[in-house]
Amino acid sequence: MRVFLHELRAQQRLFWRNREAAFFSFFFPILLLALIGSVYGDEPIEDVSVPTFILVGLLGYGVAANAFAGLAITLVVRREAGLLKRVRGTPLGPGTYLAAVIASTVTVIALQVVVQLLLGVYLLDADWPDRPAPLVVAILLGAAAFAALGLAVTTLVRTSEGSSAVVNAIYLPMVFISGVFFSREDMPAFLEAISDVLPLTYLLDLIRAAFVPGESFAASSIAAVVVWGALGLFVAVRMFRWEPREGMTGS
């Protein structure tokens, strides 16, 4: 446990020292919440107020930005630099290292959720979650599922230079089609059909349920997030690589 906590602190320092990663993963979703929440109209969307709808969307966006996109890009860059290969030769152990990296990501998500909630409720007049505990469960479940998918997608990327392009080609369309910024009911039928199979769609459903009085988690939404997470974990366990795919770029 001492080794894990030491590595977790190290991962937190690395994250916050990387200003670009900290901005796009942590601050950018918060900035979007402030900007988008101030320009929408007043009509309720999907049974919640506009500020609450935007808050829910940006909470889900933040989970995906950190646990999927940020984690995948970071691991690819470290893999191609030879850092992951070196970890396997240290007393730290690969399992402890990955656990610390993921725990650091979850820590960032937790801090981001707190800031987004405070900003949404006190600045944009969004609703406070009707049941905070289910919200925490939804965020943790989403973080676990998207972290597994982030590990899996690293197997598709061959170079550190291509990591952002590949990850964003998957991640950005998913964000828009899943209904982060607008209701899926306003989308063309073919896009709505695509959104029905995306993990972020169901994570948003779970987060939204925590804000609506009397509404409980839909079993289908829980199952969808779990299945996507299990699929990502299966691929990661079988195909995750610690060695550079295009040769060592660091000594």
Side-chain angles (χ1 to χ4, degrees), residues 79-233:
R79 183 191 70 198
E80 295 308 307
L83 298 178
L84 296 189
K85 183 178 181 179
R86 295 192 192 112
V87 168
R88 302 188 71 180
T90 68
L92 176 60
T96 303
Y97 176 80
L98 277 182
V101 172
I102 293 172
S104 177
T105 299
V106 173
T107 301
V108 171
I109 291 172
L111 292 172
Q112 186 179 72
V113 166
V114 171
V115 175
Q116 287 176 312
L117 284 173
L118 294 176
L119 178 63
V121 171
Y122 293 108
L123 182 62
L124 303 179
D125 201 28
D127 297 325
W128 189 258
D130 183 64
R131 289 159 301 148
L135 175 62
V136 172
V137 172
I139 294 295
L140 290 177
L141 180 62
F146 277 103
L149 291 169
L151 292 175
V153 83
T154 63
T155 65
L156 301 176
V157 186
R158 298 190 62 86
T159 66
S160 57
E161 292 81 1
S163 59
S164 293
V166 173
V167 171
N168 286 327
I170 300 171
Y171 152 71
L172 291 178
M174 177 180 64
V175 166
F176 283 95
I177 297 174
S178 297
V180 167
F181 302 112
F182 47 81
S183 174
R184 297 190 303 125
E185 297 173 358
D186 298 330
M187 294 189 298
F190 78 96
L191 287 180
E192 190 171 356
I194 294 173
S195 73
D196 285 340
V197 300
L198 297 177
L200 185 54
T201 298
Y202 296 98
L203 175 59
L204 293 176
D205 288 343
L206 294 177
I207 295 174
R208 189 173 296 112
F211 284 81
V212 179
E215 186 168 341
S216 58
F217 286 165
S220 58
S221 296
I222 297 175
V225 175
V226 170
V227 167
W228 271 106
L231 178 62
L233 183 61

